[in-house]
Amino acid sequence: MGKVVVGATVICGATVCAVAALIVRHRMRSAARWAKAMEIVRELEEKCATPTAKLRQVADAMTVEMHAGLASEEGSMLKMLISYVDNLPTGDEHGLFYALDLGGTNFRVLRVQLGRKEGRVVKQEFTEVSIPPKLMVATSEELFDFIAAELAKFVATEENDFQLTPGRQRELGFTFSFPVMQTSISSGTLIRWTKGFSIDDAVGQDVVAELTKAMEKNGLDMRVAALVFLIIVTAMWTEITMSMQVNDTIGTLAGGRYFNNDVSAAVILGTGTNAAYVERAHAIPKWQGLLPSSGEMVINMEWGNFRSSHLPVTEYDQALDVESLNVGEQIFEKIISGMYLGDIVRRVLCKMAVEATFFGDNVPPKLQVPFILRTPEMSAMHHDTSPDLKVVGDKLKGILGIHYTSLKTRKVVVELCDIVATRGARLAAAGIFGILKKIGKDSVKEGEKKKTVISMDGGLFEHYTAFSQCLESTLKELVGEEVAETIIVEHANDGSGIGAALLAASHSQHLGTD
């Protein structure tokens, strides 16, 4: 009996030891996994660091590239495109004008009734249309035919509240949010697509001519438009004149200037990113011909293509770039804009899942799908203030198929969002600081306290609060307290859309006839 008890005791002891050893090994393995995961996070944090000194270097590099781009067409990675807009709105514009805003995966059609300074914007209406993904990689004709058809539908809903001056044609401002070489106020050649579009036969073509052709095909000229109105209202002839082709950032600048004469620059931070500003005409060496009477010219920077050795680019950014449709281009855009921030976070999480088994022994399949984690979802996780970070847990489960996550894990996800968003916001602020340096607004002259307003637009700036707050605080950090009192960062709600209509008004063929 004694031997049996001893044997049982030995067996139990061995079992306990074995279990204890398994627990120790599990804990050691978990600790090793966590240590590896934290190593990846700390490395990302280090690579994304944007100390003030680095941001000043980025701003200086931006200013240098601006000078080079203004000197010659091929002098810089920044196109510094001459917009031919030398006549920004003043507030005196009046009448009915249309705008078409093609800015990404959606486009917006807007009509506005202007009533001079007394009435400003009397009334406006708009409709928003999603572009089928297949058309983003189709042909130029198919894309513009779809847009023109939707525009025709909208024009057909015009009611009596909108009054077209007798004898006038309808005029349209066209917001086109892609790199364009403008050859006049109403024509421009597409340089390249961004934001997921890839339509080869449109590159090198005049996008205004493409849209005009599609409008005619879809009834938006006098003859065919009458048929549309005969069906819906009366036998009323109608025609649309292409008055303006304008980049969305220039539209934002115009919209901002219409309400505030101190607006000097505009920045779009949405799916993509860009900036435009008012330059002194004599400071544009590549300008050919007579200087505009206003002495000013709006410059479309196309700053998304900016790159510099000072930019904190990580392995995740490099991998994203290699897999993109425009390898080696739009580097600045790929690290600060809404199209890409969420996917950068996904790529970091994927590496942690592979190398540190962060979400268990198997890598969640959905985590390997490019762009499955969109920036709006990243923003929602970043802003989660619930005690258990429920929003983070729900997003990981619903989007990435990761069903069980600890609070500790969720906190790491929030930290990743913060690292990536902070880098983007601070770099965007450095870009704005570069513009301020170029136009001499980075210092305050004695006795002068004139305000400089930066008009901002885009979903990233408007809806990602942590991003926009970080951008504004970083800009103050860069310019210093005294100058910060003269700099105003202002959200221009629907600036690009209404701005295009305003530019159609300020460049109307009927200007000065009444």
Side-chain angles (χ1 to χ4, degrees):
M1 176 65 76
K3 291 181 179 179
V4 171
V5 171
V6 170
T9 302
V10 170
I11 291 171
C12 288
T15 301
V16 170
C17 288
V19 171
L22 285 172
I23 292 173
V24 170
R25 279 198 296 273
H26 175 73
R27 287 178 177 174
M28 290 178 64
R29 188 181 174 196
S30 295
R33 287 176 172 178
W34 188 259
K36 178 60 179 176
M38 290 304 96
E39 179 185 326
I40 293 172
V41 174
R42 297 285 79 82
E43 182 182 8
L44 175 72
E45 186 176 39
E46 180 182 340
K47 296 290 186 182
C48 287
T50 51
T52 305
K54 179 179 281 291
L55 293 179
R56 291 188 182 281
Q57 290 175 322
V58 170
D60 288 343
M62 180 73 78
T63 304
V64 168
E65 290 298 327
M66 290 173 72
H67 278 285
L70 290 173
S72 65
E73 293 298 349
E74 303 299 327
S76 169
M77 63 194 75
L78 295 181
K79 294 296 183 182
M80 301 300 287
L81 302 175
I82 295 172
S83 70
Y84 295 89
V85 173
D86 60 349
N87 201 25
L88 286 169
T90 63
D92 290 325
E93 295 76 17
H94 71 286
L96 172 62
F97 298 91
Y98 276 79
L100 169 62
D101 185 355
L102 176 57
T105 53
N106 298 326
F107 69 88
R108 177 181 292 192
V109 184
L110 174 146
R111 59 174 155 250
V112 59
Q113 189 79 35
L114 303 178
R116 302 187 190 275
K117 288 181 179 176
E118 299 78 19
R120 295 288 183 177
V121 178
V122 178
K123 186 173 182 179
Q124 62 176 301
E125 291 179 341
F126 73 90
T127 185
E128 192 162 327
V129 182
S130 295
I131 298 175
K134 65 180 182 181
L135 292 183
M136 296 172 67
V137 292
T139 66
S140 178
E141 181 179 7
E142 289 172 313
L143 175 65
F144 283 105
D145 277 357
F146 175 77
I147 293 170
E150 295 297 327
L151 175 58
K153 293 177 187 177
F154 185 65
V155 171
T157 65
E158 187 182 298
E159 296 181 345
N160 293 333
D161 290 339
F162 292 89
Q163 298 294 324
L164 181 66
T165 303
R168 286 193 174 188
Q169 297 175 319
R170 285 168 175 77
E171 294 181 289
L172 172 74
F174 180 20
T175 297
F176 190 72
S177 313
F178 304 91
V180 164
M181 176 59 69
Q182 209 153 355
T183 52
S184 75
I185 197 66
S186 58
S187 61
T189 302
L190 177 64
I191 297 172
R192 64 177 178 279
W193 290 104
T194 57
K195 306 177 188 178
F197 282 78
S198 183
I199 303 175
D200 292 340
D201 69 337
V203 177
Q205 299 300 312
D206 183 345
V207 294
V208 173
E210 293 293 297
L211 179 59
T212 300
K213 183 169 60 177
M215 288 196 301
E216 292 173 353
K217 181 178 178 181
N218 281 274
L220 289 180
D221 60 16
M222 289 187 68
R223 181 178 59 83
V224 180
L227 178 60
V228 173
F229 277 85
L230 271 168
I231 294 173
I232 298 176
V233 191
T234 59
M236 174 181 175
W237 295 97
T238 183
E239 98 183 324
I240 290 184
T241 297
M242 181 62 64
S243 174
M244 280 290 303
Q245 183 278 322
V246 56
N247 177 274
D248 61 341
T249 320
I250 298 171
T252 299
L253 179 59
R257 179 65 75 90
Y258 182 68
F259 294 101
N260 190 333
N261 289 332
D262 292 331
V263 171
S264 296
V267 175
I268 297 288
L269 284 165
T271 304
T273 184
N274 194 17
Y277 73 102
V278 181
E279 181 60 273
R280 297 156 297 172
H282 65 79
I284 310 174
K286 68 181 180 182
W287 174 262
Q288 302 295 318
L290 296 175
L291 294 178
S293 58
S294 66
E296 296 180 333
M297 178 63 68
V298 174
I299 298 296
N300 167 21
M301 291 177 62
E302 291 299 334
W303 83 348
N305 203 43
F306 171 70
R307 60 184 180 275
S308 164
S309 60
H310 299 300
L311 290 177
V313 177
T314 69
E315 63 183 90
Y316 311 103
D317 305 308
Q318 293 169 343
L320 186 153
D321 178 47
V322 168
E323 296 171 21
S324 70
L325 294 172
N326 52 346
V327 181
E329 300 177 352
Q330 301 298 111
I331 301 302
F332 196 51
E333 179 172 87
K334 287 172 183 174
I335 57 179
I336 75 170
S337 78
M339 177 82 175
Y340 304 99
L341 297 183
D343 199 59
I344 295 170
V345 172
R346 179 198 65 82
R347 289 171 183 273
V348 181
L349 289 173
C350 193
K351 180 176 181 177
M352 293 170 70
V354 172
E355 297 187 8
T357 56
F358 192 60
F359 298 112
D361 292 332
N362 299 315
V363 177
K366 289 185 178 179
L367 191 55
Q368 301 177 72
V369 178
F371 295 99
I372 192 172
L373 180 61
R374 298 167 58 248
T375 301
E377 278 69 48
M378 169 189 168
S379 172
M381 293 192 293
H382 193 179
H383 292 131
D384 189 1
T385 57
S386 61
D388 60 348
L389 296 179
K390 183 178 184 301
V391 174
V392 177
D394 290 346
K395 295 296 182 184
L396 293 175
K397 179 180 178 180
I399 299 169
L400 301 176
I402 303 170
H403 291 272
Y404 306 105
T405 51
S406 66
L407 178 59
K408 189 177 180 182
T409 297
R410 295 175 188 181
K411 285 182 177 179
V412 172
V413 173
V414 174
E415 184 178 4
L416 290 178
C417 294
D418 185 66
I419 292 170
V420 173
T422 297
R423 178 189 65 165
R426 287 177 66 80
L427 288 174
I432 294 173
F433 184 46
I435 295 173
L436 293 174
K437 288 170 70 72
K438 174 64 181 71
I439 61 178
K441 301 293 186 178
D442 60 323
S443 61
V444 178
K445 296 181 177 65
E446 188 174 349
E448 184 179 306
K449 284 286 184 177
K450 190 177 187 304
K451 300 292 185 182
T452 299
V453 178
I454 310 297
S455 194
M456 307 290 297
D457 203 4
L460 180 63
F461 181 83
E462 181 179 1
H463 301 299
Y464 202 146
T465 305
F467 185 99
S468 56
Q469 289 179 343
C470 180
L471 184 154
E472 292 184 48
S473 63
T474 302
L475 187 58
K476 291 179 181 178
E477 172 189 327
L478 290 169
V479 300
E481 289 185 17
E482 184 182 16
V483 178
E485 293 179 2
T486 69
I487 305 297
I488 299 173
V489 175
E490 186 174 86
H491 177 237
N493 192 26
D494 192 35
S496 63
I498 194 172
L502 292 169
L503 284 169
S506 66
H507 291 82
S508 170
Q509 63 181 336
H510 305 292
L511 203 63
T513 60
D514 56 3

